[in-house]
Amino acid sequence: METYGGRRGQSERDAITVEIGYALVSAAFAAAVVFGAVAGPALLFELPGTVELVLVRTAVVLAPVLFLARVVSVLVRFRKAPQPSQPGRTSPDS
């Protein structure tokens, strides 16, 4: 991703920005879905107090853990992805 001995070009900075945005949006969506799936029954239905408490606390713990795991996995995968040798062109193997 970095050029030798120098700064990143505009296209590389744009690619990093897009990837960070994708990581944050997809992580927020995944965390919201998990929170809704785990805590949803407790918020929609009248359940015994202990069950409600366990479901909501589990969701409160799981959602941020999933958020962080998703962000890290997307950004690590992006860093390891092979980049084309010349800007605007794909590698011969693609």
Side-chain angles (χ1 to χ4, degrees), residues 5-70:
R7 305 166 66 186
R8 290 186 173 113
Q10 184 64 39
S11 63
E12 290 173 329
R13 290 193 308 264
D14 290 345
I16 291 168
T17 302
V18 168
E19 200 65 24
I20 291 170
Y22 169 73
L24 293 174
V25 170
S26 67
F29 179 75
V33 168
V34 166
F35 182 84
V38 175
L43 300 174
L44 291 175
F45 305 114
E46 198 161 322
L47 299 173
T50 308
V51 174
E52 276 189 25
L53 187 64
V54 167
L55 286 175
V56 172
R57 285 189 179 173
T58 302
V60 167
V61 169
L62 273 178
V65 169
L66 177 65
F67 180 87
L68 288 175
R70 176 68 181 161

